[in-house]
Amino acid sequence: MHNVNPLENVQKILKKSCEILNLDDSLYELLKEPERTIEINIPVKMDNGKVSVFKGYRSQHCDVMGPYKGGIRFHQNVNVDEVKALSIWMSLKCSATHLPFGGGKGGIIVNVNELSESELERLSRGYVKEIYKYIGDRFDIPAPDVNTNEKIMAWMLDEYIKLTGNNTLATFTGKALEFGGSHGRKEATGVGVAVMTREALNKLGIDIKESRIAIQGFGNVGSNTAKHLERMGGNILSISEYDNEKGVYTIYNEKGFNISELISHFEKYKTLINFEGAKLISIDQFYSLDVDVIIPCALENSITEEEANKIRAKLIVEGANGPVDYFADRILKQKNVVVIPDILANSGGVIASYLEWIQNISGIDMTEDDVLNKVEYKMLLAYNEIMKIKNEYDVTTRLASYIYSVLRLYKILKLRSRI
Ligand SMILES: NC(=O)c1ccc[n+]([C@@H]2O[C@H](COP(=O)([O-])OP(=O)(O)OC[C@H]3O[C@@H](n4cnc5c(N)ncnc54)[C@H](O)[C@@H]3O)[C@@H](O)[C@H]2O)c1
């Protein structure tokens, strides 16, 4: 069994796509690491009066297409390689979907469940205090990621404005509607994942109305993906979630779940267990389910060789970033399982963030329909272009997506004489 960290994971595929393109040796050397990674220590006065110091990062990968753009993650497993990898994926995602942004990502090593609300606020403001000189609406635009949300964005933006006097809303996206946020932003990633699932199923000759779907993670991406797949007629048979006390658990119903009821249940009880008609199954059973598609929407490396060997689904759509590791990917290829990669599948979030940024800068509002239609339009454009590359080079959808993104980055790097 191989263990690949997310940075090695993205570098391996990046290298392969650069080799296939065979353009310039320096292309891979330039793209394999971020332009800079900032490491910070954040002192936070805890409720008991003592100071705890938290480690945080901001990685800025490549700014040739525009300001760095990417979320900030609060998680106990955050580490520098993960943040770097996530920033590289952001560059590739922005390039694939023709956004005027480069890749960025941030994170703090913290278990949010161990902090009170006021400690969380001081930590969020403390992060901005350490990085405010290196972000800005034309330089680096953060957003939420795992365990961060519009409340945290409000604290961060407020702190940024206080420290800089630059009263712009456009420095952070993923904000509350009342504080410069955009209609449709919360749903956008899930809408995009659902649209990509529909297209890929269609290509496999499976009618979405007949489809059987399993989802890992029922947070922002997972729950909105489920909601929109249900709207399109898909049947969600199984969902795997994580609970601080119980660990990973999985629910299953062969007839499929009513997603709006499931979302209400999860909001109310913070667990999917005891939902009417939900049978508990093991995680091994989850991966070997007789379903058409598995949609991982939790964290990186959920699907390693072990899980890949069990998978019977014909399609994997990566709602999360980096959920299938490099070696699992090779097994899935041998098994003819189609994988729609993260840099394409979950790009709806950054597209909506781009539209939020445009609204903040221009002062012109968009409706939810404006935003979600634009998300779908841009993703379908990227999907169709990537399918052409897939056929031309006879490669997997992941490699085709990388080739497409890297080629666009190469052209602009060349125009700007950076290589
Ligand atoms: N939120 C966005 O707009 C967005 C956009 C693009 C990519 N992503 C990526 O999607 C992934 C999920 O992000 P999110 O915003 O939905 O986060 P989230 O915190 O809202 O949801 C993640 C969910 O996964 C669950 N989970 C964690 N570990 C699990 C495990 N081992 N098995 C099953 N469930 C598990 C958590 O309990 C949580 O409910 C991340 O990789 C993130 O980087 C998010």
Side-chain angles (χ1 to χ4, degrees):
M1 178 76 76
H2 301 85
N3 267 327
V4 217
N5 90 16
L7 183 60
E8 288 169 338
N9 211 1
V10 64
Q11 285 174 339
K12 278 178 191 291
I13 309 154
L14 201 53
K15 191 160 202 285
K16 209 163 175 188
S17 56
C18 289
E19 281 166 4
I20 292 173
L21 284 167
N22 194 22
L23 292 167
D24 199 314
D25 289 348
S26 54
L27 184 60
Y28 173 68
E29 292 306 310
L30 199 68
L31 295 179
K32 73 174 188 191
E33 287 273 346
E35 283 165 4
R36 75 180 69 75
T37 306
I38 302 156
E39 180 176 324
I40 56 176
N41 291 309
I42 313 158
V44 177
K45 191 156 203 185
M46 307 304 276
D47 292 347
N48 64 9
K50 290 190 179 151
V51 171
S52 289
V53 181
F54 295 86
K55 189 158 287 295
Y57 304 97
R58 185 76 190 163
S59 172
Q60 299 174 331
H61 176 247
C62 175
D63 67 350
V64 276
M65 294 214 172
Y68 307 103
K69 179 92 197 78
I72 300 169
R73 177 175 292 193
F74 285 7
H75 198 275
Q76 55 276 23
N77 296 341
V78 161
N79 60 73
V80 69
D81 279 356
E82 180 188 68
V83 178
K84 283 181 178 183
L86 287 160
S87 70
I88 300 175
W89 279 316
M90 285 304 295
S91 288
L92 297 170
K93 213 177 282 188
C94 293
S95 173
T97 48
H98 293 222
L99 300 181
F101 292 138
K105 204 79 179 192
I108 301 180
I109 305 172
V110 59
N111 183 344
V112 285
N113 298 308
E114 291 171 358
L115 297 192
S116 69
E117 173 101 353
S118 51
E119 288 168 342
L120 192 63
E121 176 171 354
R122 289 195 287 279
L123 177 66
S124 305
R125 289 184 183 274
Y127 181 82
V128 174
K129 205 161 156 248
E130 301 303 327
I131 63 152
Y132 76 93
K133 289 182 184 148
Y134 312 102
I135 60 174
D137 62 349
R138 304 291 171 155
F139 187 72
D140 183 354
I141 306 146
D145 190 69
V146 173
N147 291 327
T148 51
N149 52 30
E150 56 186 39
K151 195 198 292 176
I152 291 175
M153 293 305 108
W155 292 328
M156 287 188 167
L157 178 55
D158 182 68
E159 192 65 24
Y160 177 81
I161 293 171
K162 266 194 217 159
L163 288 167
T164 61
N166 178 6
N167 201 347
T168 171
L169 298 172
T171 302
F172 286 80
T173 61
K175 303 180 294 289
L177 269 180
E178 299 79 3
F179 193 19
S182 175
H183 291 285
R185 170 63 186 90
K186 269 191 201 152
E187 309 231 344
T189 310
V191 168
V193 176
V195 168
M196 289 297 102
T197 307
R198 183 192 66 202
E199 294 304 306
L201 282 172
N202 192 27
K203 199 159 191 289
L204 286 167
I206 302 167
D207 181 353
I208 189 150
K209 295 196 172 69
E210 307 292 323
S211 65
R212 291 156 306 151
I213 301 164
I215 297 180
Q216 183 210 28
F218 204 60
N220 175 293
V221 181
S223 64
N224 282 304
T225 298
K227 178 174 157 185
H228 288 278
L229 282 170
E230 183 186 59
R231 170 175 62 77
M232 295 169 184
N235 305 302
I236 292 87
L237 265 49
S238 184
I239 296 168
S240 184
E241 243 298 330
Y242 178 82
D243 182 282
N244 265 336
E245 279 159 28
K246 294 181 199 78
V248 172
Y249 63 91
T250 305
I251 59 166
Y252 175 76
N253 184 330
E254 62 180 4
K255 294 199 179 106
F257 290 109
N258 176 318
I259 299 302
S260 51
E261 284 176 14
L262 198 58
I263 290 174
S264 307
H265 181 96
F266 196 50
E267 277 169 4
K268 192 166 169 196
Y269 301 107
K270 312 284 172 230
T271 176
L272 301 170
I273 297 172
N274 292 333
F275 182 70
E276 208 185 328
K279 183 176 131 188
L280 286 175
I281 60 169
S282 70
I283 192 67
D284 283 353
Q285 286 172 306
F286 173 80
Y287 283 111
S288 41
L289 278 173
D290 179 19
V291 288
D292 300 303
V293 48
I294 296 179
I295 311 182
C297 300
L299 293 169
E300 303 91 62
N301 293 352
S302 312
I303 301 179
T304 64
E305 287 162 284
E306 193 184 333
E307 289 78 22
N309 278 320
K310 291 181 191 139
I311 283 172
R312 290 159 74 196
K314 300 161 201 76
L315 172 66
I316 309 280
V317 183
E318 293 186 328
N321 287 310
V324 176
D325 83 18
Y326 180 78
F327 295 99
D329 216 30
R330 291 206 307 201
I331 295 174
L332 294 172
K333 187 181 172 212
Q334 282 159 13
K335 290 171 76 172
N336 276 329
V337 179
V338 174
V339 180
I340 305 295
D342 42 14
I343 61 166
L344 173 62
N346 69 35
S347 61
V350 69
I351 299 173
S353 274
Y354 158 68
L355 298 171
E356 178 177 336
W357 178 76
I358 285 190
Q359 291 172 78
N360 294 153
I361 280 174
S362 66
I364 298 169
D365 283 346
M366 294 181 194
T367 64
E368 181 167 303
D369 278 354
D370 290 338
V371 171
L372 296 180
N373 288 339
K374 190 96 177 155
V375 164
E376 181 161 351
Y377 173 77
K378 277 184 102 47
M379 288 185 72
L380 287 176
L381 269 186
Y383 178 82
N384 291 328
E385 290 303 313
I386 287 166
M387 286 305 139
K388 283 187 211 156
I389 298 271
K390 180 177 162 57
N391 293 336
E392 186 183 335
Y393 289 88
D394 190 21
V395 290
T396 61
T397 312
R398 186 186 309 283
L399 211 39
S401 306
Y402 273 61
I403 290 171
Y404 184 64
S405 295
V406 168
L407 193 54
R408 292 197 71 245
L409 282 164
Y410 171 76
K411 285 180 184 161
I412 195 158
L413 281 164
K414 203 76 192 159
L415 280 167
R416 294 180 67 163
S417 299
R418 297 259 195 117
I419 51 174

